């Protein structure tokens, strides 16, 4: 187990790489710790939860809501948790988001740490200190920015990750490559989903590189004033699609990145839109889908990145170099319509 420390403006996060969940007791006191996980992870790794205090939630984004947070808080009170208690979220992005949120509000804030168990949580969701819940159709509408005390990486937990969850993680990995790391992009281009899943060494290299990219961005811009906005590549349209259609986060973001690449070609002469599309497809992600522009725009214009009449849209200058461009909100439906006729000329 390797230990690294990332310093953010307000706090330091200890990062344990190549760790094993069975050793969690060496970094936190069992008596003070309450683990928060979901039923799938609990069932898949039951022996590792023995002799710990555990709160088990129903799996899925639909439970990342205030009533679940209230239920956790009630259980914490029943367990007689106090200001010295530590919450440890063991799970995917849903679990890390809600655990960090509850820990930030319970008794005005207690310590927390994460053991990410999905690829998405390992490369993205658990890093950066954004914790929150969804409100109705609006994702992450309520929450706080607060760093965990530690991140604990046990790659062997990925053995039980369902097949369809892998692509979700790769959507964010490809995003990082597109906006910030051209050589990661070419590395991914030379591989595909099946090959990377089988290659443990390569997988841990990719995870650690993405951890580095994401923490680097967050460290420079913890409170999202500049660079951190780049991480929204594919997410403006992605979030809107995700709430309106039956899509996973990764699938929705993949479609969003393809649109943003097309728009980058239109507005900035970006030349590699086809390569972005091909890499996404090689990691099991959808690249083209029809959608209802009015329905999607209604959600899209509520995006937190909107500044009155303009919206900060993340586009690509070239592979590995994203840029934030201010677009008039009212022009977006026209671009979406033109894009749809581009991918489906018959309509
Ligand atoms: P995210 O995609 O943001 O990580 P979730 O927290 O909803 O979102 O995790 C995705 C799904 O994968 C959930 O159903 C969760 O229970 C399941 N899951 C996450 N990690 C593992 C794992 N290591 N083994 C088995 N199932 C897992
Ligand atoms: Zn995302």
């Amino acid at each position: 187990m390797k230990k690294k420390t990332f310093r953010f403006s307000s706090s330091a996060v200890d990062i344990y790489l190549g760790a094993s969940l069975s050793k969690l007791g060496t970094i936190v006191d069992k008596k003070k710790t309450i683990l928060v996980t979901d039923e799938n992870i609990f069932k898949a790794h039951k022996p590792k939860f023995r002799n710990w205090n555990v709160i088990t939630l129903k799996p899925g984004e639909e439970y990342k809501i205030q009533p679940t947070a209230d239920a956790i808080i009630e259980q914490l009170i029943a367990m007689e948790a106090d200001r010295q208690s530590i919450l440890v979220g063991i799970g995917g992005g849903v679990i890390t988001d809600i655990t960090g949120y509850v820990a930030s509000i319970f008794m005005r804030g207690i310590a927390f740490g994460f053991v990410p168990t999905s690829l998405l949580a390992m490369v993205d969701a658990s890093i950066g200190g954004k914790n929150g819940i969804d409100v109705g159709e609006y994702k992450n509408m309520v929450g706080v920015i607060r760093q965990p005390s530690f991140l604990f990486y046990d790659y062997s937990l990925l053995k039980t990750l369902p097949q369809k969850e892998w692509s979700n993680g790769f959507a964010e990995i490809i995003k990082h490559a597109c906006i910030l790391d051209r050589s990661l992009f070419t590395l991914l281009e030379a591989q595909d989903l099946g090959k990377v899943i089988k290659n443990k060494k390569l997988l841990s290299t990719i995870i650690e590189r993405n951890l580095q990219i994401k923490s680097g961005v967050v460290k420079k811009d913890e409170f999202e004033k500049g660079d951190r906005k780049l991480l929204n590549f594919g997410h403006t349209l992605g979030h809107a699609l995700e709430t309106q259609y039956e899509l996973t986060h990764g699938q929705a973001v993949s479609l969003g990145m393809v649109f943003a690449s097309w728009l980058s070609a239109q507005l900035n002469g970006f030349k590699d839109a086809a390569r972005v599309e091909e890499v996404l497809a090689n990691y099991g992600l959808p690249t083209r889908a029809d959608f209802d522009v009015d329905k999607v725009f209604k959600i899209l214009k509520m995006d937190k990145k909107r500044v009155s009449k303009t919206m900060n849209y993340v586009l690509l200058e070239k592979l590995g170099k994203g840029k934030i461009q201010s677009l008039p909100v009212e022009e977006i439906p026209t671009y979406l319509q033109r894009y749809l006729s581009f991918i489906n000329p018959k309509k």
Side-chain angles (χ1 to χ4, degrees), residues 38 40-41 44-45 59-61 91-95 117-118 120-121 125 157-158 160-162 165 168:
D38 74 27
N40 294 337
I41 295 144
H45 300 276
E61 180 84 26
V94 170
I95 293 297
T117 65
S118 69
L120 179 72
L157 296 169
L158 292 171
T160 59
L161 188 67
E165 299 298 336
N168 255 335

Side-chain angles (χ1 to χ4, degrees), residues 2-296:
K2 283 184 279 178
K3 183 179 164 189
K4 289 187 181 177
T5 304
F6 279 108
R7 296 204 169 276
F8 295 100
S9 66
S10 47
S11 60
V13 182
D14 290 329
I15 301 187
Y16 300 89
L17 297 168
S20 162
L21 184 50
S22 57
K23 296 274 160 49
L24 185 64
T26 63
I27 68 156
V28 287
D29 179 349
K30 255 188 192 170
K31 291 200 285 296
K32 288 202 234 162
T33 304
I34 296 145
L35 309 181
V36 180
T37 191
D38 74 27
E39 287 168 359
N40 294 337
I41 295 144
F42 185 78
K43 274 186 213 131
H45 300 276
K46 215 168 183 170
K48 295 173 190 145
F49 289 93
R50 201 173 294 141
N51 300 321
W52 287 91
N53 304 304
V54 190
I55 295 176
T56 309
L57 308 179
K58 289 206 163 38
E61 180 84 26
E62 64 270 35
Y63 294 103
K64 205 179 95 177
I65 48 174
Q66 188 63 42
T68 310
D70 295 342
I72 299 172
I73 292 167
E74 273 160 27
Q75 287 189 65
L76 290 175
I77 295 167
M79 287 170 162
E80 298 182 359
D82 60 28
R83 286 196 180 81
Q84 260 62 56
S85 302
I86 302 162
L87 287 195
V88 179
I90 304 185
V94 170
I95 293 297
T96 58
D97 273 12
I98 202 159
T99 303
Y101 171 65
V102 170
S104 303
I105 56 175
F106 180 70
M107 295 192 166
R108 297 199 190 88
I110 61 171
F112 64 103
F114 297 143
V115 181
T117 65
S118 69
L119 181 62
L120 179 72
M122 289 188 188
V123 299
D124 183 18
S126 70
I127 312 154
K130 281 192 184 177
N131 311 287
I133 53 165
D134 303 334
V135 178
E137 297 182 304
Y138 303 104
K139 284 181 53 80
N140 304 319
M141 190 48 101
V142 167
V144 295
I145 295 186
R146 193 161 172 261
Q147 300 298 337
S149 309
F150 67 85
L151 295 175
F152 192 88
Y153 281 76
D154 175 349
Y155 305 124
S156 76
L157 296 169
L158 292 171
K159 276 189 222 149
T160 59
L161 188 67
Q163 189 69 33
K164 68 173 180 22
E165 299 298 336
W166 283 92
S167 297
N168 255 335
F170 274 104
E172 305 293 351
I173 291 172
I174 295 166
K175 176 191 80 178
H176 288 155
C178 285
I179 55 172
L180 287 160
D181 191 338
R182 189 187 179 93
S183 70
L184 175 62
F185 190 92
T186 45
L187 182 150
L188 294 167
E189 238 176 358
Q191 307 284 334
D192 63 32
L193 182 62
K195 286 188 204 149
V196 179
I197 293 181
K198 272 186 255 144
N199 187 339
K200 288 207 183 64
K201 180 81 187 46
L202 179 62
L203 184 61
S204 61
T205 306
I206 291 176
I207 292 172
E208 288 173 24
R209 185 129 155 213
N210 280 274
L211 169 58
Q212 199 79 45
I213 295 173
K214 172 105 192 231
S215 359
V217 174
V218 173
K219 192 174 166 168
K220 272 204 262 165
D221 181 19
E222 201 173 343
F223 298 99
E224 196 156 337
K225 297 203 173 67
D227 262 16
R228 190 165 182 175
K229 293 197 181 100
L230 286 179
L231 298 172
N232 293 318
F233 180 56
H235 281 62
T236 308
L237 175 59
H239 277 159
L241 290 173
E242 189 178 355
T243 55
Q244 297 303 307
Y245 297 94
E246 290 285 305
L247 294 167
T248 64
H249 181 67
Q251 290 171 332
V253 169
S254 176
L255 296 169
M257 288 192 282
V258 175
F259 169 68
S261 302
W262 172 84
L263 194 55
S264 305
Q266 302 292 307
L267 302 178
N268 302 334
F270 173 61
K271 293 193 181 55
D272 288 314
R275 280 170 77 188
V276 174
E277 216 174 314
E278 191 176 344
V279 168
L280 291 165
N282 288 342
Y283 287 83
L285 290 157
T287 56
R288 292 182 176 201
D290 202 5
F291 53 84
D292 182 328
V293 170
D294 292 341
K295 204 165 135 178
V296 164

